[in-house]
Structure formats: structure tokens, C-alpha cells
């Protein structure tokens, strides 16, 4: 399991250098150096997140230096075909890695001197700032390809040079290169800014927590638990894939690593049960993609979302749970239907342990998750909670057959550092793009442009963001795609969601008195209309009278701070879910390609199958925007979830033309409006109930037809 957990960085590293990287890790002298460096890096970061009093800027600088050195040593600059060439490349990589550490040391030693000179660059400031930026771009090229470095170069040159030559709303007068480099490196706004802080705090601690869990044997326990819980049902291996990927993703937060670690077991099981190979690979890819949606880790998305929205991490993972469950159940619906259609058989594994035996031997693996959640609820910060949970993994293992000893703990520390290297480099690099967006104000400009293109329509805005996420996802990992899209388009979606809630108040005649005072300034002759309910068109006309300069104030007066905060979370959650589609959407879908490699199926066809099975990625975000699935009270959230569950099932049945038995064309067409009826936020529960009853009747009819075919004597 330890090697499988590092699969995502290995897949993203360029193929031509993979063999050299393996040789370095196994090298007689270099291997132990990397091993010791990884241990030291993990311990230093544990110190950062517990008792350190270093400034955030200095900590971010050391974070960059340490992981820059690890990246340089483990990921060769280029492939060498001879021993002499390999030594030369290694020499250059060692020099670049040490240069990254030198850049961190320089910032710590000479930051105060720079401010004493009035932020006027010395020759050393120029050299080390340029070196730091070039190094992070080179490390990003090695780990995630050319796209992000080229995007950063384009962004930085826009600020310093060619932005002044652009006409229209994207014109930017320009800053000097000295200012750009200061903000990029020394000023704590770019590569060592808030995104880097998220990397060395939340992301590192939770990835290290996942490494300790996997090293303790939790990965094997999760798969065995899934096999016992779902493996003996018809189509059980497919449910195992969904269940195990959800559990594994809840701690790993990596879709490709999730696919490789669970897929090597679940895909052969599905094929043995009678599922088509391409479908089996698609299920694993779609389910593993959901791993980044499942709390508590959610890739790095939950931590970045907490930083952007200033909403607590605990709140975000709590509201993300029901949507994630809805997604996994949507994939399970496809599995159920395909199991019936393919006549998949039950797998009776005589050697498989019972559920009781699995829980008896592995119940202690659940304790760290309980400790983590309890620590968060108690009020500890996420980093402290993760630190406590890491200790609990070690303690809990002592009651198992294979307690973690010093060697296991050291290997877990190494695994944690290696697993986060690609993510750390990625997040540090993306900080440069975020700096450019905030410096130029291009984010607000882009949001205004999206709103204009969409004509104020929330649905069209979401469609445009979905298209943008798909295009960005062809070149960016999902975390980077989310950061870029959130920076550019979250304000537009947030404003539209908040305005829709404001419209609802006006339509119901429930606008607070303090908000009505704004209409005294904007449209005093319309004040009486605010005291009675009105239709949607009238409400829109009334709000259109409020000048744009007062729109934000109106929202703040009409909606509570908690409501506005959750509207912002909903906007970010829409973007975060849509950014996952590049995992399973051709032409570039690494998760589907990894599953295809295991199943031996065509990559592109497997990608289209996974894309079909992951339809929840497009349906659930609409619920974020139009329903109280994550913004309402718990009873409202549960109501939306229950009806949405059957609504999605109806749509899946319509897409597949199958429930328990093939559907005739008329019933198949009926499934789509029935599904939409239960998903649509019309606010009439009786319509939802009517749709549910019709679906239950259709399901019962289909089940009876299937029984007649299976047992002709009863017909």
C-alpha cells in the first residue's frame, strides 16, 4: 500500500525521466540521503505546525526550499542515456535543490535589510528573487508538465510588460520588474503567500495523516471492509469499488492514487462477476474521482476553500458530506442497473473473512478518524487535530496484530513527504497566478464579463464555468484548476446565488426593515410594494431600481452574515465539483487512463464511460446553487438529499433505458421529467412526493417484469 499511495505524483512525472527517478531512490548513496531528507522534512513541518514561532513568510520559504530539494533529487531534470550523463544531470539537480534552500536562507537573513533600504533591490535581491521564481517554475515543469509554468510566465509578463498594450477592460498600466519580483517572492503575496501557507499547514498535516493510516494497514482494512459489506450482493464487486474508493478517498484525497490502490483489486473482481471490462474501469475511475469530494481531506480543496471563504474547515466538511454521499450513490445506481443488464453474478469467496472478523481485527483503524472529528468538534485547529490524529494512529496500531514500530513510523514520515511533494510544488507555483489576479483586479473583471455573457443567469454562468473548468483541466491538475477558477469566477456565482436569495425575500414580502431603507434612497415611491408578496418579474424590476453602488449594501442588510457566508461556500463548492470533471472527461482524464491501464481497455473509450458514470459532478452543483442542500437547516438539507437521490436514479434509468428490466421508450422518456421534477427547486413538496410515487410505481413495474423473465412459470 505504501508504494501505491505515491502513484499520483509518479503518473504526473514525465515518463522519460521515470526510470532515472527510480534509480535515484534505489541508489546506494543517494537513496538513504533522500530517505533521511524526507524524514527531516516531515519532522520540521510537524514542528512548524505545533510549537514554531517563525513568521509565516519564513516558514513558507523553508517549505519551498525543502520540497524544492526533494523534487530536484527525486525527479530528474531530463533523461540521461549514459552513466556519465546521469551523473551530470544529478550534479545539476543537486545544485538546483541546494539553490532552493539558499533562496529560503537568503530571504530569512536579508528580509529586514531590504526594508531598511526602503524596499530598493540590491544585487543579491535581484539574483535570489529571479532564481527562486525560475526554480519553482522548473520544479513545476518536472512534476506537472509545461502548462502551469507557461501560464505563470504569461501572467507575470502581463503585469510587467504586455498588459499595457492590451485594449479594453484587460488593459493594465504595468508594474516594474522589481515590484513584480518583490510581490512574487519576498513580499509574501505570491509563491510564499496564502496558498503556500495552506500547503505547509492543512495539506501537509492531512496528507501525513493519510500516510500514517495507510502504513498502519488501514488501506487493506478498507478494501476488506468493502468486500464484506457489499461484495456478496448481485453486482457486489461494483459496490465494493464505490464503497472502498469513498472510504480510501476520505483519507487520501487523491483520485489517481485512489484508482491505483483500490482498482487493482476491484476491477478484476468486477470482471470476474460479469461486468464488461470498460464499465469496470469506468466505475473505478468515477468512484475514485469522488474521493476528492469525500470529507475529511477532499484533496486540498477543503483547506483552500476554508481559506478563501473564511468559513471553518469543520463547517465545510460537514456540509460536504451529504453531497459526496449523493455522488457515490449515483455511481452505485449505474452499477445496480449494469449488474441487472449484464446478469452479473454473486461472488462467493470461501476464503473471504466475515464482516464480524474484519471489524474484530481492524476496528482500531476507525479510531483515528473518530479522534480527528472529535478534536475538530472540541475546537482544535485542523492542524492540531491532524497532529493528534497522527499520534492516535500509532497508539491504535498497538492493539493490532502488527503494531507500528520505529521503522514503520519513519517510513510513514518518508511517505508523507514524498506524497505531498507534487502538491506542494503545485500550490507554491499557483500562488504566482493568484498574486497576478489580485494585483491586477482581473478576477473582478472576469467575473463581470461572465455575468454579462450569461445575462445575469445563474444557470448559464454555471455552464460557462463548467466549460472553463474542462478546458483548464486539460492542462492543470484539479486543485490548480479549482484555485484559478475560484479566483476568477467565484465572485460572479456568489453574487448570483445571494441575489436569488434576496429575490425570494422580496417575492415573499419578508425583506428586513433595514434593507427597505435602501429603497428610500433608490425608489421611495415603491416602498409600499415591499410589504406584500409579488411575482418574480415584479421583484426583479424592483431590485433593478437599486443602483449598483448600493447592491452589496442591500445584500448585507437583507441577508445575515451566516447566510452570505454559506452562499460563498455554495459558490466555491460549485466550482470545486466542476473542477473535478477533468479526471474523467476526455481528452485528458488521468484517473480514467489509470483505470484503463489496469483493465486493459482503450483509454479514450474508458474515459467516455467514466464521464457518463460521473454525471453527479454536473447535477449536484446545480443543487448547491438552487437548493438548500448545503446552505439550509439540516432538515431542509435532508429533504433535498432524499428527493434528489430518487431524482438522480430516475435520470440514470432514463439514460440507461433500464431499471430492474429494460424500459419501453415511453417509460424511458418519462424518467427524465420525473427526475427533473424531484430535483427542481420549486418549493412544492407535494410535487416532489408525486414524482417519487410515479418513480416507485415504475420501479415496481420494472421489477415485476424482471421477475417474470427470470421465472417464466410465474408469468
Amino acid at each position: 500500500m505504501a508504494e501505491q499511495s505515491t502513484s499520483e505524483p509518479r503518473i504526473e512525472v514525465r515518463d522519460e525521466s521515470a526510470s532515472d527517478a527510480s534509480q535515484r531512490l534505489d541508489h546506494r548513496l543517494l537513496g538513504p540521503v533522500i530517505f533521511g531528507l524526507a524524514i527531516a522534512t516531515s519532522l520540521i513541518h510537524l514542528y512548524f505546525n505545533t510549537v514554531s514561532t517563525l513568521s509565516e513568510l519564513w516558514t513558507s520559504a523553508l517549505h519551498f526550499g525543502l520540497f524544492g530539494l526533494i523534487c530536484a533529487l527525486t525527479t530528474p531534470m531530463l533523461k540521461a542515456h549514459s552513466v556519465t550523463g546521469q551523473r551530470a544531470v544529478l550534479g545539476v539537480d543537486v545544485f538546483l535543490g541546494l539553490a532552493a534552500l539558499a533562496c529560503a536562507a537568503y530571504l530569512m537573513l536579508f528580509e529586514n535589510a531590504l526594508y531598511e533600504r526602503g524596499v530598493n533591490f540590491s544585487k543579491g535581491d535581484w539574483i535570489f528573487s529571479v532564481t527562486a521564481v525560475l526554480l519553482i517554475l522548473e520544479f513545476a515543469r518536472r512534476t506537472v508538465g509545461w502548462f502551469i509554468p507557461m501560464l505563470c510566465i504569461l501572467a507575470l509578463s502581463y503585469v510587467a510588460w504586455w498588459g499595457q498594450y492590451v485594449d479594453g477592460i484587460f488593459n493594465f498600466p504595468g508594474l516594474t520588474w522589481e515590484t513584480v519580483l518583490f510581490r512574487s517572492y519576498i513580499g509574501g503575496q505570491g509563491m510564499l503567500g496564502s496558498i503556500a501557507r495552506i500547503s505547509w499547514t492543512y495539506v501537509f498535516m492531512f496528507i501525513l495523516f493519510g500516510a500514517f493510516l495507510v502504513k498502519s494497514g488501514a488501506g487493506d482494512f478498507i478494501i476488506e471492509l468493502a468486500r464484506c459489506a457489499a461484495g456478496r450482493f448481485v453486482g457486489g464487486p461494483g459496490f465494493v469499488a464505490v464503497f472502498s474508493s469513498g472510504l480510501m478517498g476520505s483519507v487520501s484525497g487523491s483520485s489517481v492514487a485512489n484508482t491505483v490502490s483500490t482498482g487493482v483489486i476491484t476491477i478484476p473482481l468486477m470482471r470476474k462477476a460479469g461486468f464488461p471490462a470498460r464499465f469496470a474501469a469506468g466505475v473505478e475511475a468515477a468512484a475514485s474521482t469522488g474521493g476528492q469530494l469525500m470529507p475529511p481531506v477532499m484533496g486540498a480543496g477543503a483547506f483552500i476553500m476554508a481559506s478563501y471563504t473564511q468559513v471553518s474547515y469543520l463547517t465545510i466538511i460537514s456540509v460536504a458530506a451529504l453531497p459526496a454521499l449523493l455522488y457515490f450513490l449515483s455511481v452505485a445506481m449505474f452499477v445496480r442497473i449494469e449488474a441487472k443488464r449484464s446478469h452479473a453474478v454473486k461472488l462467493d469467496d470461501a476464503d473471504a473473512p466475515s464482516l464480524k472478523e474484519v471489524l474484530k481485527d481492524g476496528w482500531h483503524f476507525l479510531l483515528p478518524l473518530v479522534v480527528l472529528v472529535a478534536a475538530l468538534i472540541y475546537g482544535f485547529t485542523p492542524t492540531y487535530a491532524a497532529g493528534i490524529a497522527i499520534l492516535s494512529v500509532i497508539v491504535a496500531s498497538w492493539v493490532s496484530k502488527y503494531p507500528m514500530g520505529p521503522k514503520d513510523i519513519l517510513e510513514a514520515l518518508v511517505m508523507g513527504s514524498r506524497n505531498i511533494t507534487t502538491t506542494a510544488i503545485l500550490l507554491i507555483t499557483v500562488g504566482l497566478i493568484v498574486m497576478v489576479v489580485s494585483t491586477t483586479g482581473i478576477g473582478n473583471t472576469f467575473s463581470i464579463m461572465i455575468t454579462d455573457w450569461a445575462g445575469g443567469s445563474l444557470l448559464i454562468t454555471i455552464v460557462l464555468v463548467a466549460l472553463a473548468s474542462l478546458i483548464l483541466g486539460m492542462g492543470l491538475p484539479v486543485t490548480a484548476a479549482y484555485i484559478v477558477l475560484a479566483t476568477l469566477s467565484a465572485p460572479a456565482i456568489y453574487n448570483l446565488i445571494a441575489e436569488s436569495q434576496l429575490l425570494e425575500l422580496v417575492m415573499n414580502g419578508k425583506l428586513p426593515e433595514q434593507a427597505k431603507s435602501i429603497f428610500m434612497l433608490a425608489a421611495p415611491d415603491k416602498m409600499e410594494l415591499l410589504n406584500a408578496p409579488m411575482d418574480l418579474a415584479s421583484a426583479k424590476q424592483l431590485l433593478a431600481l437599486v443602483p449598483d453602488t448600493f447592491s452589496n449594501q442591500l445584500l448585507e442588510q437583507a441577508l445575515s452574515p451566516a447566510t452570505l457566508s454559506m452562499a460563498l461556500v455554495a459558490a466555491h463548492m460549485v466550482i470545486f465539483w466542476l473542477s473535478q470533471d477533468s479526471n474523467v472527461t476526455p481528452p485528458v482524464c488521468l484517473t480514467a487512463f489509470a483505470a484503463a491501464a489496469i483493465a486493459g481497455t482503450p483509454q479514450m473509450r474508458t474515459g467516455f464511460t467514466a464521464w457518463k458514470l460521473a454525471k453527479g459532478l454536473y447535477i449536484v452543483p446545480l443543487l448547491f446553487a438552487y437548493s438548500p442542500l448545503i446552505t439550509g437547516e439540516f432538515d431542509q438539507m435532508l429533504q433535498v438529499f432524499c428527493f434528489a437521490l430518487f431524482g438522480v436514479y430516475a435520470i440514470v434509468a432514463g439514460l440507461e433505458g433500464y431499471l430492474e428490466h429494460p424500459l419501453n421508450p415511453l417509460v424511458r422518456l418519462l424518467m427524465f421529467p420525473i427526475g427533473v421534477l424531484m430535483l427542481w427547486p420549486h418549493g412544492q413538496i407535494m410535487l416532489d412526493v408525486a414524482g417519487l410515487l410515479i418513480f416507485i410505481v415504475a420501479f415496481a413495474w420494472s421489477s415485476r417484469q424482471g421477475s417474470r423473465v427470470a421465472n417464466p412459470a410465474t408469468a
Side-chain angles (χ1 to χ4, degrees), residues 230-237 239 275 335-336 339-340 343-346:
R232 292 183 174 87
F233 294 100
V234 173
F239 297 131
F275 286 101
V335 172
R336 167 77 180 180
K340 289 290 185 178
H343 305 292
V345 298
K346 299 179 182 178

Side-chain angles (χ1 to χ4, degrees), residues 38-58:
I39 292 173
T41 298
S42 288
L43 292 176
I44 290 171
H45 278 74
L46 285 172
Y47 167 74
F48 287 160
N49 286 283
T50 51
V51 298
S52 172
T53 57
L54 285 178
S55 70
E56 290 185 356
L57 179 63
W58 287 15

Side-chain angles (χ1 to χ4, degrees), residues 20-36:
D20 282 6
S22 178
Q23 290 176 12
R24 287 186 175 185
L25 294 172
D26 297 331
H27 193 276
R28 181 171 57 89
L29 296 178
L30 187 59
V33 170
I34 296 173
F35 189 86

Side-chain angles (χ1 to χ4, degrees), residues 213-228:
L213 268 181
V214 171
K215 189 61 185 175
S216 70
D220 295 329
F221 166 73
I222 286 172
I223 294 175
E224 288 300 319
L225 181 63
R227 290 178 67 179
C228 293

Side-chain angles (χ1 to χ4, degrees), residues 25-111:
L25 294 172
D26 297 331
H27 193 276
R28 181 171 57 89
L29 296 178
L30 187 59
V33 170
I34 296 173
F35 189 86
L37 175 62
I39 292 173
T41 298
S42 288
L43 292 176
I44 290 171
H45 278 74
L46 285 172
Y47 167 74
F48 287 160
N49 286 283
T50 51
V51 298
S52 172
T53 57
L54 285 178
S55 70
E56 290 185 356
L57 179 63
W58 287 15
T59 305
S60 296
L62 287 171
H63 178 68
F64 157 67
L66 289 168
F67 281 106
L69 179 56
I70 291 177
C71 178
L73 295 181
T74 57
T75 310
M77 180 176 61
L78 49 85
K79 181 176 177 60
H81 298 281
S82 64
V83 174
T84 303
Q86 290 175 2
R87 290 176 178 172
V89 170
L90 176 59
V92 173
D93 287 338
V94 170
F95 174 77
L96 295 180
L98 293 176
L101 274 180
C103 288
Y106 181 86
L107 186 147
M108 297 171 68
L109 292 172
F110 295 98
E111 180 194 10

Side-chain angles (χ1 to χ4, degrees), residues 237-260:
F239 297 131
V240 170
V242 176
F243 188 24
S244 62
S245 294
L247 292 176
M248 188 72 75
S250 69
V251 295
S252 74
S254 169
S255 57
V256 178
N258 204 346
T259 299
V260 177

Side-chain angles (χ1 to χ4, degrees), residues 623-634 636-638 640 681:
L623 297 177
F624 297 153
Y626 287 101
S627 78
L629 180 60
I630 61 175
T631 59
E633 300 296 330
F634 181 73
Q636 295 175 311
M637 296 164 62
L638 194 59
V640 172

